[in-house]
Amino acid sequence: MASHDHLLDAARRLGQRFRHDAVRAEDRGPADGEDARWPAEDEFSLAGATDWLHSPPLTGADLRGRVVLVDFRTYTCINWLRSLPYVRAWEEVYRDSGLVVVGVHSPEFSFEHDVENVRRAAAARSIGHPVAIDNHFAVWRSFHNHFWPARYLVDAAGRLRHHSFGEGGYEEDERVLRQLLRDAGAGDLGPEPVPVDARGIEAPADWDTLRSAETYLGYDRTSGFASSPDVVPDRPHAYTAAERLRLGHWSLAGSWTVGAESSSSREPGGRLTCRFHARDLHLVVAPPAGATVRFRVQLDGRDPGTDHGLDVDSTGSGTVTEPRLYQLLRRHGPVTGGAFEVEFLDPGVAVYALTFG
């Protein structure tokens, strides 16, 4: 994980405003910082992709003469999901003017290596553009990338001309995109900015009230664990929830195995709680193979009612049917600090991360 100071420095270099959950960062390259950036005169490489969706394998030569938007993603990333409406809108409006969008799926969690999971997620998000499956992070490293989401614009001659990381910066992205299309001989591009339809899970975060940062639920990258006892790594153990939680802290209750990237419940009735300050709360979660897991959500000890998310009803009831990000809460009144609890009524679920918006 890149340091907080590094993220701030990167944001300042890009002239963007840094916010909680603005990017996910992962150091998968041999170097970091400004000197590691992909030189503008080099050709980009997609050669390391392990598979492709919606296209045969593509190379730089295949794309020469077209303006290319390379969009790095991992499908459970809420930051990428909130950037997708812009990429989708640009592709629709500028496709006939010479734009090609190429997604690069570089997985963060183990289940995101499964191509069928990625294929299902792409269908759910109405993604039809080519997607390079980058399970070995070879494409990621060829771009010296360190972030989800990340967008790179390559001109018709195959030169990198612009990049942006995280959420925001869309006006600058579109301005450069339009200029590259004009340079390539495109005619009338119509008015800008193009209309963007961002709704549901893809709606922008409420940045003014967001006080909670992404929280990983495996011991490799977690913080704020407040159960008793402290983490017992990689072994089933009975945990007791904290009586009180501070903002940003979380706890487990029941029998759980806390692993490196996730925590897995062993028995029915396992509970996860956290104290947060945000409009939206999401959970990256996976059921056991071949099964589903019922769950129940409460906010401040009550059913969520109208504050329920897309994946639960007003009583807080929902079902984990596949490994993905689930929206559990979207609050509609004033946003204040709150206590969230989810109880899993069936065993075997694995929880990976809490994200907010």
Side-chain angles (χ1 to χ4, degrees):
M1 179 68 72
S3 70
H4 185 257
D5 286 344
H6 172 70
L7 294 181
L8 287 171
D9 288 343
R12 292 189 189 104
R13 285 197 302 271
L14 295 172
Q16 296 176 341
R17 178 184 171 198
F18 180 78
R19 299 167 292 206
H20 284 306
D21 277 2
V23 291
R24 283 185 179 178
E26 188 78 7
D27 187 358
R28 301 278 181 157
D32 202 1
E34 190 69 34
D35 292 341
R37 303 236 181 273
W38 189 42
E41 66 272 12
D42 286 358
E43 295 184 358
F44 65 89
S45 175
L46 303 170
T50 55
D51 205 343
W52 284 82
L53 302 183
H54 313 139
S55 173
L58 296 174
T59 67
D62 296 328
L63 296 167
R64 195 71 74 247
R66 307 293 294 275
V67 173
V68 183
L69 169 60
V70 181
D71 181 46
F72 281 88
R73 63 193 59 172
T74 186
Y75 80 81
T76 61
C77 178
I78 187 59
N79 315 113
W80 170 70
L81 287 166
R82 293 193 294 239
S83 72
L84 179 59
Y86 296 86
V87 174
R88 189 188 292 121
W90 297 332
E91 180 185 27
E92 181 178 346
V93 171
Y94 299 123
R95 181 191 300 117
D96 292 341
S97 298
L99 175 67
V100 176
V101 173
V102 177
V104 180
H105 188 271
S106 304
E108 180 171 28
F109 299 120
S110 55
F111 62 79
E112 292 178 298
H113 286 76
D114 187 324
V115 176
E116 290 310 308
N117 288 339
V118 182
R119 191 187 310 277
R120 185 167 53 243
R125 303 259 67 88
S126 300
I127 292 170
H129 56 249
V131 178
I133 304 299
D134 188 31
N135 280 352
H136 299 324
F137 281 73
V139 181
W140 175 285
R141 286 192 295 271
S142 81
F143 278 72
H144 294 273
N145 187 49
H146 297 273
F147 302 100
W148 299 283
R151 296 174 297 279
Y152 295 83
L153 282 169
V154 180
D155 69 15
R159 297 170 299 182
L160 177 67
R161 301 293 295 276
H162 177 74
H163 55 259
S164 59
F165 303 142
E167 300 180 57
Y170 305 120
E171 291 182 2
E172 177 70 4
D173 288 351
E174 187 174 2
R175 185 192 65 77
V176 175
L177 169 59
R178 289 168 65 94
Q179 185 58 54
L180 296 182
L181 290 171
R182 291 191 195 97
D183 292 345
D188 181 18
L189 298 175
E192 62 174 317
V194 300
V196 174
D197 184 19
R199 64 178 72 182
I201 199 113
E202 298 176 354
D206 183 357
W207 297 109
D208 290 338
T209 62
L210 180 55
R211 302 289 184 273
S212 293
E214 181 171 25
T215 301
Y216 290 96
L217 303 175
Y219 61 73
D220 258 2
R221 290 188 285 177
T222 197
S223 61
F225 184 72
S227 288
S228 178
D230 201 358
V231 169
V232 179
D234 300 317
R235 289 194 292 115
H237 200 83
Y239 291 94
T240 301
E243 291 187 7
R244 287 190 168 190
L245 288 173
R246 290 186 292 164
L247 184 66
H249 285 217
W250 64 282
S251 68
L252 301 172
S255 180
W256 292 79
T257 297
V258 180
E261 72 168 0
S262 67
S263 295
S264 301
S265 69
R266 313 302 301 176
E267 299 172 349
R271 290 180 290 127
L272 164 67
T273 61
C274 76
R275 180 163 289 278
F276 73 106
H277 195 294
R279 182 194 65 194
D280 300 342
L281 183 145
H282 317 95
L283 178 65
V284 179
V285 56
T292 60
V293 175
R294 298 165 299 150
F295 63 84
R296 175 91 179 272
V297 170
Q298 289 195 319
L299 175 61
D300 293 327
R302 300 184 298 274
D303 294 345
T306 58
D307 289 335
H308 69 89
L310 293 171
D311 293 297
V312 303
D313 62 21
S314 61
T315 71
S317 297
T319 304
V320 180
T321 58
E322 59 185 309
R324 62 176 175 87
L325 180 142
Y326 289 73
Q327 187 184 80
L328 304 186
L329 295 172
R330 169 158 285 174
R331 303 162 85 178
H332 295 282
V335 174
T336 59
F340 154 84
E341 178 181 278
V342 56
E343 179 182 9
F344 297 101
L345 307 181
D346 302 300
V349 75
V351 294
Y352 290 79
L354 290 162
T355 64
F356 306 91

